Amino acid sequence: MTRIAAVAAALPEHSYAQSEITAMLAPMITPDPSKQALLRRLHEGAKVERRSLVMPLEAYRDPQTFTETNVRFIEAATDLAERAVGTALAAAGIAPDEVDFVMFTSVTGVSAPSVDALLVPRLGLRPDVKRVPMFGLGCVAGAAGIARIHDYLAGHPDDVAVLVAVELCSLTVQRDDDSMANLVASGLFGDGAAAVVAVGSARAERLGTEGPDVVDSRSALYPHSEHVLGFNPGTTGFRIVLTAGVADVVEEHFGTDVRSFLAAHGLTPDNIDAWIAHPGGPRVLESFARSLDLPDDALALSWESMAAVGNLSSASVLHVLADTLDRTSPQPGDSALLFALGPGVSAELVLLHWPDAVAATPAAEVAA
């Protein structure tokens, strides 16, 4: 099985209280006092207390073209990705030139060469490292990325794989757009990055690498829901598509899908020790909990992450994973379910399990 060796989160240096961001954005998005009042109510209801932004708050006042924001995306995303991956590799005790596979995901900017290619000389990755940039999965990409590097490592059990997610959502906020989607999104999404270092089963056994194993994953794409969540590219950048239907999709499908996935492994929700949920928003988290009959504190870390940094799209569930590893002291034999939703509407479920105490295979056995 794939073993997660380390997870690292990274945030931009600029951090502001939600009230500061709201005060700046309201007149920028709409001159209508009634719409500004609605925006303030929506921002208060988002349960977000602070957000990190890639630019100083005052810089958002000046109109910028899509070209300008995308140039800033490439520069800042590469910096954040370098920091996240470097920290994760150091925590795992793995040198950059040992990395065999890199997957990069973002939905808030584009570049060619992609950010993963720009990381190769910065981090000292090998020039023959395999790279897969992903675009379009949105919030689900953190969970889907873990699943896809697991798929790769199943066929390359001696390899090291890295997933890096960077989202600069603040660069996609639209001026002079008082649509409900933009009003909601402007109070929910923040900027940030995260990286996951994982190793194949043979390498994990040989070196005694600690961390949870990825047992299995399952994907779902729900029909006739493409209008519920996503981005529409335009002359001013990415205009968000966001409706209340996201929670409705959760209510209709999520509980059944999770129970079916767990049952395939002889488990029920009662057997899950940690729930690692993408903090998509208050209604989404409430729907997750309700669909699975979870206790009130089951998604506490997701609620805390949303309050501290907002919804970071693909990077958010990886921040919650990092918090789970750092703050909850999982025990051998524990199981966790990591999951997220994204455009489509799509879902990704990842089953994790902490193995019994690991020990490196003696050198004599390796040689034999």
Side-chain angles (χ1 to χ4, degrees):
M1 293 182 184
T2 296
R3 183 157 297 160
I4 294 177
V7 184
L11 295 168
E13 62 177 316
H14 309 291
S15 177
Y16 300 95
Q18 178 81 321
S19 58
E20 295 178 88
I21 297 173
T22 301
M24 188 277 296
L25 286 180
M28 186 184 92
I29 289 176
T30 176
D32 184 341
S34 63
K35 286 292 184 72
Q36 289 186 15
L38 174 60
L39 179 145
R40 293 187 186 95
R41 291 196 299 272
L42 292 170
H43 283 208
E44 290 173 1
K47 307 297 183 184
V48 174
E49 297 174 4
R50 295 193 70 84
R51 284 184 279 168
S52 296
L53 305 179
V54 73
M55 298 193 300
L57 190 58
E58 59 273 13
Y60 292 88
R61 299 184 189 277
D62 300 326
Q64 296 188 55
T65 66
F66 183 32
T67 299
E68 290 170 330
T69 58
N70 200 67
V71 167
R72 187 173 292 274
F73 168 84
I74 295 169
E75 295 172 349
T78 307
D79 290 342
L80 277 174
E82 180 184 13
R83 180 148 56 92
V85 174
T87 301
L89 287 173
I94 292 173
D97 62 4
E98 295 179 90
V99 175
D100 303 287
F101 180 86
V102 177
M103 177 169 282
F104 169 76
T105 185
S106 182
V107 76
T108 52
V110 292
S111 66
S114 50
V115 168
D116 48 288
L118 301 177
L119 290 177
V120 172
R122 285 203 186 196
L123 287 168
L125 302 173
R126 298 196 316 269
D128 67 346
V129 67
K130 303 177 184 73
R131 300 182 295 105
V132 177
M134 291 195 303
F135 180 86
L137 288 179
C139 295
V140 79
I146 290 178
R148 299 294 81 80
I149 64 173
H150 169 59
D151 294 342
Y152 170 82
L153 289 170
H156 301 82
D158 287 300
D159 281 10
V160 176
V162 171
L163 167 68
V164 56
V166 183
E167 303 288 6
L168 305 183
C169 303
S170 69
L171 298 180
T172 70
V173 174
Q174 297 294 300
R175 303 175 65 89
D176 305 317
D177 176 5
D178 62 3
S179 66
M180 183 61 73
N182 197 46
L183 297 181
V184 171
S186 66
L188 181 60
F189 290 94
D191 298 342
V196 177
V197 176
V199 299
S201 58
R203 186 184 180 100
E205 181 178 356
R206 186 171 70 252
L207 300 179
T209 304
E210 296 183 355
D213 288 333
V214 179
V215 178
D216 196 8
S217 67
R218 180 174 292 184
S219 305
L221 182 62
Y222 302 119
H224 313 300
S225 62
E226 62 275 5
H227 64 284
V228 172
L229 180 64
F231 272 130
N232 285 328
T235 56
T236 57
F238 298 118
R239 289 183 176 269
I240 193 163
V241 176
L242 179 64
T243 74
V246 177
D248 296 335
V249 171
V250 174
E251 297 279 2
E252 182 177 358
H253 298 286
F254 192 73
T256 300
D257 285 354
V258 168
R259 290 182 175 88
S260 172
F261 178 54
L262 294 179
H265 296 275
L267 302 172
T268 71
D270 291 338
N271 301 125
I272 299 301
D273 302 287
W275 297 91
I276 305 169
H278 168 65
R283 282 198 63 199
V284 172
L285 285 177
E286 290 166 359
S287 296
F288 282 148
R290 190 161 48 245
S291 66
L292 293 168
D293 298 318
L294 298 180
D296 291 342
D297 62 347
L299 304 182
L301 290 181
S302 296
W303 283 101
E304 290 176 20
S305 180
M306 189 169 65
V309 296
N311 179 344
L312 305 179
S313 190
S314 66
S316 254
V317 76
L318 306 182
H319 278 239
V320 180
L321 174 60
D323 289 341
T324 301
L325 298 177
D326 292 342
R327 296 171 52 189
T328 64
S329 301
Q331 300 300 306
D334 282 357
S335 294
L337 190 71
L338 181 148
F339 52 92
L341 295 180
V345 169
S346 59
E348 195 80 29
L349 313 176
V350 181
L351 181 61
L352 303 177
H353 180 78
W354 277 262
D356 294 333
V358 297
T361 302
E365 292 185 24
V366 174

